[in-house]
Amino acid sequence: MRLLNRSAGRVSRLRRGPLAGLLVLLLGLMFTGALYSAFTPAQAEKASKSDDELIQEGRQLFLVGCSFCHGQNGEGITSQNGQYGPSLVGVGAASVDFQVGTGRMPMQQPGQQAATKDQAYSQDEVDALAAYVASLGPGPSIPDKAEYSLDNLSEDEQREAVVRGGQLFLTNCTACHNFDGSGGAMPEGKTAPSLKNTSDKHIYEAMLTGPQQMDVFSNGNIAPEDKAAIIAYLNSIEDNAGYGGFSLGGLGPVSEGMFAWILGIGGLVGFAYWIAAHSTRSEKTEHPEGTDA
Amino acid sequence: MTDHHDNLPAPVDEPIANPGLPAHEPRPTDVDKVAEKRAERQVATFFFLSMACAVLFVVAYYGISLTEESGDNTTFAGLGASHVALGVTLGLALMFIGIGIIQWARKLMADVEIAEMRHPVASSAADRVETLAALNDGLEESGIARRPLVRNSLLGAVGFVGIPLIVSFTDLGPVATPTVRRNTLEKTVWKEGTRVVRDVTGTPIKVEDLEIGDLMNCEPEGLVPVHSEEDEREGVEYLEGAELQSAKAKAALILLRMEPKDQTFSERSPENWSIHGIVAYSKICTHVGCPISLNEQQSHHLLCPCHQSTFDLADGGRVVFGPAARPLPQLPLTVEDGYLVAQSDFREPVGPSYWERDSK
Amino acid sequence: MSTESVATTNGKTAATAKKQGKGAKVVGWADDRLGLATVAKKNIRKIFPDHWSFMLGEIALWSFVVLLITGVFLTFWFKPSMGEIQYMGSYEQLKGVHMSEAMASTLDISFDVRGGLLMRQMHHWAAMLFIAAMLVHMARVFLTGAFRKPREVNWLIGGLLILLGIVEGFAGYSLPDDLLSGTGLRIAQGMMQATPVVGTYMSFFLFGGEFPGEIIIPRLYMIHILLVPALILALIGAHMLLLVYHKHTQWPGPGRTEENVVGFPMLPVYAAKAGGFFFIVFGMTALMGALMTINPVWKYGPYNPSQVTAGSQPDWYMGIAEGMLRIMPGWETHLWGLTLSWNVFIPGLMMPVVLLGLVLAWPFLEAWVTGDRREHHLLQRPREAPSRTAFLVAMMTLYGLLWAAGGNDVLAVLFHLNLNHITYFMRIGVFVIPVIVFFFVRRWCISLQRHDNEMLTHGYESGVINRSPEGGYSERHLPLSPDHAYRLTAGDRVKAIEESDAADANGVRGKGNTRRAKLSQALYGHDVDAPTAEEIEDGRRHLEHDLDHDDHHSADGHQYDGRHEVEGESLRGH
């Protein structure tokens, strides 16, 4: 029951190329994107404000967006079934900048872990909120760039700091965030997020304030220059070439095993199938001398 | 001995008679000179492509530098340029040979199926009889059955010779006698007055360094190398090499500061082992010994990344989940000269269980 | 049976010896000294049947060759020493860090030896493929019944090879002394230490004292490059010799019988296909090594007993032991000052031995239950032995579940699941799901057997729908081609032993025999027999009869496609 005529299954020459659909899709997407950017209002001009004004503005924003969970004065609310917003007295500006700046706050619903979302407030508004919360009680303030970068060190010192940062990272951070900073699982459905798309400032703030289930790594615990070293290490491995090829998600041996099975064994079995498959047959009969067709 | 009949292949029920091997159908390359030539060229093309890749490999080997000191273009599309170039050229060079050979076999080599008859796997009955007879003759001539003294003493000698062979492996490692265990498995470098220091940096820790919610990965002093001899503290032994690794594998410590009101004290974890909510636990899991430091600030649950045993550090290191069977050992803490120090060694062996462990 | 049409040569006359050419001279010289011509004459044109599933073992064989080649390259630079040195190589992020010479030389291979990283990654990928291919090959042998007499010994050798492959893989994984390999060794040591009675002794002997000590890597190096490879090589040799001696099994089909083997000769076709496949496997590993990072030790850093990373996993082949370790509840017994760690002992040591033992013992169990002591050279399709197929699929399910349990943290992150729930699910699932799968697959196979019988007796569904004058619709069935029909009937199906048959030759009904009959009934009682010759003949006549009454049209569907003249055109008119 062999198919004698292979060409019978061949498709018409008029059929579109396989890339045509993709091209149409891409064009459509580009068009939509262009329209969107054309109609988005430009960023409002930044105006400097005094501290008091900032705190006042922050309070207004707070009352609208945050007080439902955190209370009118940031004192925190505990309800009977345990859903609450913690007190914000003393959490400091750094905490607000991290939580709101990464889109974790405002939360969509109370839960054990706040998910990162698109930022709901502009950076100006975040600053205002941070100023207001900082006014509630002393706490860590938003770090300057000088604190979380190594720019003021010499090149040799920077190199040493990166190495030290790597050791600190492997000792303090990889247990949850993985050796590549690609995140890991925590109990009961919680996760340690990936660090790959987090800004230096937010990483620094996270260490400083210990958001949600993360431990605090206060300045007494890991000195500011060591925190900067950790951040520098993370940036350096991000900047490194993929020395061994594509990283396969940086998840360790589990993803490697999947690739070995799917690509490796899958591909080789495919080759085996081809090797053992019957090749095309001819309808012609065998000529002892083989005449020209 | 099995019935010889059993060695025949199983009879096959054949409700339909075997139609016999189908006639050979020729391939286009068998009957068409042009197709044959084309296939020949195709196969040769693969071999030439392989050669080209092999040449490119050599070019890449000498042409692309590996390290930044010796050249500039070490990356290609974000990947290691030398590595990827060598791998891809080598891979393709090999692949093309493989594909070429297979195409040769598929298109040009004779493809008439041939039948070969099987032979019975078992030897013939006559051979078996002969073999048995030879075996019997040999045994008979040796007299092994008739001379039990010789036979048994030989067996005894061979058995005894095995003992030196086994005994000579004793020095592979120390024999785990109770004394050896007491000085190894059941002991760490922690002792009264040993300072707790930060891992990696090696600095000692004051109570006020820790805020509520802080987690510190720590070691006993002496297990974090110091940069110069001036930094060494008197009376502390600074270990290195294998000794350091073995000591670290037992002494690594987790320091945690929590709200004192969250703590639950028990006989295992008395109040005077912690200071202002600061507790110290062994970092070595009681399951199979991974270092654990995935802590949840709010629940004080510490999770092991290897097998997910979870311990409650607010409650004497109690196991709340996973395969571990015993709580994490706690280190009694106190303050000396303003710095955190150990009151003593751990009160029980740290790390995984072992047969002789007296676990109450 | 008719085997006359089976070809015995390649259709061409044997090449007659021409004048003494150079080749003949070389052969003559060699044969004078080695006398190989007698052996070679039989084997140069030895027949191997051609089927893709027969090449799975080859993947394993060729990956092993790749392992040997790349492994030799690595030994030229690798220093199996745990002596501490300061790393001063090219990888910036670790420059100045103290580490073992093993780790430092691994980094040197990766960053300062041209092609070194490629060889390292190829070696690692080939190792993953080696064990995966052995398992796939084993599954093929199992599903087709190729392990039956006379091939049981080869089945055992294969099982040993898998075990050795895993040991070899684990030893290699531990050599670079990076964070993952050290963590893996720590776990292995913890498991060893938990062995009742002798655990502490074993651990102290292997590690030369306490973990990690400074001798384990040199010892593992010897095991990895000498002891285990030598054993693997010897067993592969035995495996192949037996394969050649037994001749390969083949699928039943026209011209293929229990007494012959039909296929292509070793020289040239099989040698070309196998040789070509070697290059493809080699090339594939090179491409994988080139493009896919495996075991980036530079990111893990040197082993430090107080560091750990999320995603600490063993290579995939240790996944099931890892999974069992993870889902085992924390049971431990403390008695008389002694500790018995069920939580480590059962999953780490007992279950792997039990599972491997069960699979290795299967040929003997099956032969005992079926009472089948005959040789088998024709393969069975998986559906022809439903209980066997179902058993393997159940085992594969168990394997998959445990594997998933071994990566539960990665699954939890990737699919936003609750880590603890996965563990609870697996604790029950590993017992329940394989059983469900067993019965499901067996039922499926039996249905497929029925379907085969249906096709034999009632023909295949042609896809042609007839409308009767009354307006009813029916699908036309057509008889199978003789080749196809033969292929469906030729496979032998296991028959259950009737309890009345269970008496032995002397008519004595032993207890064992009754039990055996019961087991046999339970395993094979539901299977469907192939139809008898009469049934098939009946069916064929019936089909012909139907066709005769069908306007004498050849029913290939063309008459209904609207382009051909059909009698009774008026029916289609509106």
Side-chain angles (χ1 to χ4, degrees):
Chain A
M1 302 248 86
R2 204 175 287 136
L3 258 183
L4 289 175
N5 192 350
R6 283 280 167 117
S7 62
R10 226 170 263 163
V11 288
S12 143
R13 255 186 298 150
L14 294 175
R15 213 182 87 168
R16 284 186 208 95
L19 288 177
L22 192 66
L23 196 68
V24 171
L25 185 69
L26 280 177
L27 279 173
L29 284 173
M30 277 160 67
F31 182 66
T32 321
L35 267 182
Y36 179 78
S37 60
F39 286 97
T40 310
Q43 285 288 312
E45 290 243 332
K46 205 171 178 171
S48 61
K49 296 187 186 93
S50 76
D51 282 357
D52 277 350
E53 273 173 1
L54 206 60
I55 291 172
Q56 270 316 308
E57 190 196 328
R59 173 154 174 80
Q60 291 310 315
L61 286 166
F62 187 86
L63 285 173
V64 175
C66 319
S67 60
F68 186 78
C69 296
H70 292 288
Q72 298 284 324
N73 297 304
E75 74 278 11
I77 289 179
T78 312
S79 75
Q80 266 181 328
N81 47 11
Q83 296 176 341
Y84 71 104
S87 163
L88 299 183
V89 178
V91 298
S95 200
V96 179
D97 190 53
F98 175 82
Q99 300 278 7
V100 185
T102 58
R104 284 179 166 80
M105 294 289 154
M107 273 173 111
Q108 277 169 335
Q109 56 185 50
Q112 18 189 13
Q113 190 168 27
T116 49
K117 300 181 294 289
D118 288 342
Q119 222 176 308
Y121 293 91
S122 72
Q123 192 55 46
D124 287 344
E125 290 167 330
V126 175
D127 290 343
L129 275 171
Y132 169 66
V133 171
S135 74
L136 298 175
S141 53
I142 299 175
D144 287 335
K145 189 158 194 298
E147 285 180 73
Y148 54 82
S149 77
L150 299 176
D151 291 346
N152 46 0
L153 297 182
S154 74
E155 212 164 286
D156 274 351
E157 284 171 330
Q158 280 189 14
R159 219 171 278 156
E160 253 172 58
V162 165
V163 174
R164 193 177 69 243
Q167 292 307 299
L168 285 164
F169 179 71
L170 284 162
T171 303
N172 292 296
C173 317
T174 50
C176 302
H177 290 286
N178 161 306
F179 62 92
D180 208 16
S182 45
M186 298 296 287
E188 305 291 355
K190 286 160 278 189
T191 54
S194 163
L195 307 178
K196 292 191 168 170
N197 298 316
T198 312
S199 72
D200 294 356
K201 184 179 73 169
H202 287 147
I203 293 178
Y204 191 94
E205 286 167 350
M207 285 194 265
L208 202 58
T209 60
Q212 270 106 39
Q213 291 291 3
M214 179 170 161
D215 293 300
V216 181
F217 295 91
S218 64
N219 287 342
N221 182 346
I222 296 180
E225 63 270 22
D226 286 343
K227 287 198 188 78
I230 292 175
I231 291 167
Y233 173 76
L234 277 171
N235 289 333
S236 80
I237 56 169
E238 197 108 322
D239 290 344
N240 272 353
Y243 295 116
F246 299 103
S247 74
L248 312 186
L251 291 172
V254 170
S255 59
E256 290 162 7
M258 293 310 283
F259 277 93
W261 274 91
I262 295 167
L263 274 181
I265 293 293
L268 288 171
V269 168
F271 269 111
Y273 198 84
W274 170 64
I275 292 170
H278 257 268
S279 51
T280 327
R281 298 290 134 172
S282 170
E283 281 173 89
K284 292 181 198 155
T285 48
E286 234 163 328
H287 298 291
E289 294 303 311
T291 49
D292 286 348
Chain B
M1 197 171 130
T2 46
D3 186 354
H4 210 75
H5 184 68
D6 286 342
N7 289 329
L8 296 176
V12 180
D13 290 334
E14 287 193 320
I16 297 176
N18 192 333
L21 205 61
H24 177 242
E25 286 173 86
R27 299 161 296 187
T29 43
D30 291 329
V31 291
D32 183 346
K33 266 272 160 73
V34 177
E36 192 183 344
K37 277 282 165 223
R38 200 189 305 129
E40 215 177 298
R41 280 196 303 274
Q42 187 196 43
V43 170
T45 308
F46 281 122
F47 293 151
F48 283 123
L49 279 172
S50 168
M51 280 185 242
C53 286
V55 171
L56 284 176
F57 179 93
V58 178
V59 172
Y61 190 91
Y62 291 109
I64 303 177
S65 51
L66 194 60
T67 54
E68 277 173 23
E69 281 108 64
S70 52
D72 31 31
N73 284 329
T74 55
T75 59
F76 169 75
L79 305 176
S82 167
H83 167 81
V84 170
L86 293 180
V88 169
T89 48
L90 178 67
L92 289 179
L94 291 161
M95 274 295 199
F96 283 134
I97 295 186
I99 293 171
I101 297 179
I102 305 277
Q103 275 299 75
W104 182 8
R106 281 165 54 85
K107 296 215 158 168
L108 295 169
M109 288 182 188
D111 82 327
V112 183
E113 286 192 312
I114 304 179
E116 186 179 75
M117 296 314 283
R118 289 180 188 275
H119 56 77
V121 171
S123 324
S124 70
D127 277 1
R128 279 195 192 187
V129 171
E130 253 179 72
T131 307
L132 274 178
L135 190 66
N136 278 334
D137 286 350
L139 290 177
E140 186 58 33
E141 284 171 23
S142 75
I144 199 162
R146 278 177 289 120
R147 301 185 213 282
L149 178 64
V150 174
R151 182 188 64 212
N152 295 345
S153 54
L154 171 65
L155 288 177
V158 171
F160 268 70
V161 151
I163 297 173
L165 289 179
I166 294 168
V167 165
S168 60
F169 282 103
T170 309
D171 278 347
L172 276 175
V175 179
T177 58
T179 328
V180 169
R181 286 202 308 271
R182 222 169 296 131
N183 290 319
T184 53
L185 291 178
E186 293 161 14
K187 187 175 160 231
T188 73
V189 298
W190 290 105
K191 53 181 194 282
E192 192 185 343
T194 307
R195 276 187 186 170
V196 183
V197 300
R198 292 176 182 84
D199 205 344
V200 184
T201 51
T203 44
I205 301 154
K206 291 190 173 122
V207 173
E208 57 271 24
D209 286 347
L210 284 100
E211 288 174 11
I212 304 285
D214 249 320
L215 169 124
M216 262 192 211
N217 293 284
C218 301
E219 300 284 349
E221 56 186 336
L223 294 198
V224 183
V226 284
H227 292 293
S228 62
E229 281 191 21
E230 293 132 50
D231 296 343
E232 290 190 3
R233 199 163 80 96
E234 234 181 76
V236 178
E237 199 190 345
Y238 288 85
L239 301 177
E240 50 186 36
E243 257 182 302
L244 172 67
Q245 295 282 78
S246 296
K248 262 190 180 178
K250 288 181 299 182
L253 197 73
I254 290 248
L255 211 58
L256 195 69
R257 184 164 190 176
M258 58 185 83
E259 291 280 2
K261 67 175 165 54
D262 290 348
Q263 285 180 287
T264 312
F265 298 109
S266 61
E267 205 187 327
R268 281 192 55 82
S269 170
E271 195 168 355
N272 63 357
W273 283 15
S274 66
I275 299 153
H276 307 307
I278 300 179
V279 287
Y281 282 92
S282 163
K283 199 179 180 180
I284 308 302
C285 185
T286 59
H287 178 221
V288 282
C290 284
I292 22 178
S293 60
L294 286 80
N295 185 55
E296 293 196 309
Q297 194 207 136
Q298 287 160 18
S299 62
H300 320 295
H301 283 179
L302 188 70
L303 175 87
C304 177
C306 294
H307 306 102
Q308 285 93 38
S309 300
T310 313
F311 304 87
D312 187 351
L313 297 194
D315 186 10
R318 181 174 58 91
V319 180
V320 290
F321 179 76
R326 288 180 294 103
L328 274 182
Q330 189 180 355
L331 186 77
L333 281 182
T334 186
V335 178
E336 208 178 86
D337 305 335
Y339 293 110
L340 288 172
V341 298
Q343 287 181 27
S344 70
D345 195 356
F346 291 99
R347 301 290 166 85
E348 57 182 321
V350 299
S353 293
Y354 52 94
W355 175 248
E356 300 90 344
R357 190 183 197 280
D358 194 356
S359 325
K360 279 178 211 97
Chain C
M1 76 193 69
S2 116
T3 48
E4 298 95 80
S5 52
V6 169
T8 50
T9 76
N10 217 347
K12 291 179 182 143
T13 46
T16 43
K18 291 182 192 129
K19 259 183 266 167
Q20 286 272 319
K22 260 210 185 115
K25 252 184 210 160
V26 173
V27 168
W29 187 92
D31 192 54
D32 286 347
R33 281 144 190 93
L34 305 170
L36 287 176
T38 321
V39 187
K41 98 180 158 194
K42 282 189 201 151
N43 288 313
I44 283 180
R45 296 284 278 178
K46 191 173 183 65
I47 298 303
F48 287 92
D50 213 18
H51 190 264
W52 66 269
S53 73
F54 299 166
M55 310 191 74
L56 300 174
E58 254 179 59
I59 302 178
L61 178 67
W62 298 139
S63 332
F64 186 68
V65 176
V66 175
L67 283 169
L68 291 179
I69 295 170
T70 51
V72 167
F73 182 93
L74 294 175
T75 56
F76 290 148
W77 283 277
F78 181 68
K79 299 193 189 89
S81 155
M82 294 172 91
E84 189 183 299
I85 58 163
Q86 204 173 9
Y87 175 71
M88 282 318 220
S90 312
Y91 184 67
E92 290 285 337
Q93 282 88 339
L94 288 174
K95 205 170 251 180
V97 173
H98 288 261
M99 57 179 71
S100 66
E101 280 197 82
M103 177 67 183
S105 59
T106 308
L107 288 172
D108 288 341
I109 291 173
S110 306
F111 292 107
D112 294 292
V113 175
R114 278 176 284 188
L117 181 56
L118 177 66
M119 290 292 163
R120 246 198 69 224
Q121 299 206 131
M122 281 173 72
H123 194 71
H124 206 139
W125 281 120
M128 308 273 255
L129 292 179
F130 177 50
I131 301 170
M134 282 198 286
L135 280 186
V136 176
H137 172 57
M138 182 171 170
R140 194 284 292 174
V141 167
F142 193 91
L143 285 174
T144 57
F147 56 79
R148 292 175 297 174
K149 192 178 174 185
R151 294 180 177 79
E152 301 99 319
V153 179
N154 236 8
W155 173 257
L156 294 179
I157 293 176
L160 278 181
L161 276 170
I162 289 178
L163 187 66
L164 285 172
I166 291 173
V167 171
E168 177 74 347
F170 183 75
Y173 174 90
S174 304
L175 286 181
D177 204 22
D178 62 291
L179 186 54
L180 265 197
S181 76
T183 307
L185 268 179
R186 170 84 240 206
I187 294 168
Q189 188 269 343
M191 277 159 63
M192 193 180 289
Q193 195 175 298
T195 311
V197 190
V198 293
T200 328
Y201 295 86
M202 281 179 4
S203 158
F204 271 48
F205 281 137
L206 185 65
F207 287 81
E210 276 193 284
F211 176 83
E214 52 187 339
I215 195 76
I216 184 66
I217 283 180
R219 282 183 186 168
L220 283 177
Y221 186 62
M222 187 287 295
I223 290 172
H224 183 73
I225 70 158
L226 179 74
L227 187 62
V228 181
L231 289 173
I232 290 181
L233 213 53
L235 285 177
I236 288 181
H239 204 68
M240 307 289 293
L241 274 180
L242 278 177
L243 159 76
V244 168
Y245 181 67
H246 288 144
K247 293 192 165 76
H248 207 286
T249 50
Q250 63 185 349
W251 291 104
R256 285 144 219 262
T257 70
E258 285 280 6
E259 276 96 25
N260 70 5
V261 50
V262 181
F264 297 114
M266 154 98 160
L267 198 73
V269 178
Y270 189 74
K273 285 189 171 179
F277 201 31
F278 164 66
F279 283 103
I280 283 171
V281 173
F282 203 169
M284 185 77 143
T285 350
L287 289 177
M288 289 173 82
L291 296 172
M292 286 150 51
T293 308
I294 188 166
N295 200 19
V297 287
W298 55 93
K299 281 189 183 161
Y300 299 131
Y303 179 54
N304 178 338
S306 61
Q307 292 176 349
V308 73
T309 167
S312 280
Q313 251 101 7
D315 274 348
W316 73 263
Y317 43 83
M318 302 290 282
I320 65 158
E322 176 81 3
M324 284 191 281
L325 266 179
R326 285 181 184 209
I327 62 173
M328 186 75 193
W331 293 336
E332 208 172 73
T333 308
H334 304 146
L335 271 181
W336 308 298
L338 299 172
T339 299
L340 184 49
S341 312
W342 303 108
N343 55 345
V344 182
F345 175 65
I346 292 179
L349 301 156
M350 206 172 85
M351 285 315 291
V353 175
V354 168
L355 288 178
L356 185 73
L358 188 61
V359 172
L360 286 187
W362 182 271
F364 307 99
L365 295 176
E366 191 184 287
W368 176 72
V369 175
T370 55
D372 182 357
R373 292 194 200 83
R374 295 300 196 86
E375 281 188 11
H376 294 274
H377 302 290
L378 286 180
L379 297 174
Q380 288 173 307
R381 287 186 303 160
R383 72 184 62 169
E384 277 153 9
S387 287
R388 182 205 293 152
T389 303
F391 172 76
L392 187 76
V393 180
M395 289 297 267
M396 284 160 70
T397 310
L398 178 63
Y399 197 98
L401 286 172
L402 289 174
W403 197 18
N408 58 1
D409 50 340
V410 175
L411 292 181
V413 173
L414 283 185
F415 302 110
H416 303 289
L417 297 171
N418 184 326
L419 186 69
N420 304 48
H421 292 177
I422 301 180
T423 306
Y424 291 131
F425 173 79
M426 290 296 179
R427 279 180 182 169
I428 314 263
V430 292
F431 292 103
V432 176
I433 297 173
V435 175
I436 297 173
V437 166
F438 178 85
F439 287 107
F440 177 75
V441 172
R442 188 164 80 168
R443 198 29 67 185
W444 191 351
C445 288
I446 292 170
S447 301
L448 286 170
Q449 286 187 326
R450 290 227 172 85
H451 175 70
D452 281 359
N453 288 1
E454 192 86 350
M455 297 229 289
L456 285 165
T457 50
H458 295 99
Y460 72 94
E461 294 165 358
S462 63
V464 174
I465 308 291
N466 284 346
R467 197 170 84 172
S468 68
E470 295 80 29
Y473 290 93
S474 61
E475 185 171 7
R476 179 177 300 214
H477 284 234
L478 293 174
L480 296 175
S481 74
D483 279 9
H484 192 178
Y486 177 71
R487 227 174 289 136
L488 290 188
T489 54
D492 57 331
R493 297 180 183 181
V494 178
K495 286 180 191 64
I497 303 172
E498 296 292 330
E499 220 170 308
S500 52
D501 297 346
D504 64 20
N506 303 323
V508 182
R509 293 182 64 159
K511 232 187 196 164
N513 280 341
T514 322
R515 214 176 294 140
R516 196 179 75 167
K518 277 203 180 119
L519 191 59
S520 169
Q521 279 295 334
L523 286 177
Y524 305 104
H526 309 274
D527 295 6
V528 184
D529 279 336
T532 58
E534 293 80 53
E535 284 167 349
I536 293 173
E537 187 54 29
D538 256 15
R540 200 178 56 78
R541 241 179 282 130
H542 201 75
L543 269 176
E544 272 172 13
H545 179 77
D546 278 0
L547 290 176
D548 283 345
H549 284 259
D550 237 8
D551 301 328
H552 302 280
H553 275 296
S554 66
D556 60 358
H558 277 108
Q559 66 272 47
Y560 301 106
D561 64 5
R563 274 176 291 185
H564 292 74
E565 295 273 314
V566 177
E567 282 176 66
E569 192 73 18
S570 60
L571 281 176
R572 284 204 323 226
H574 28 252

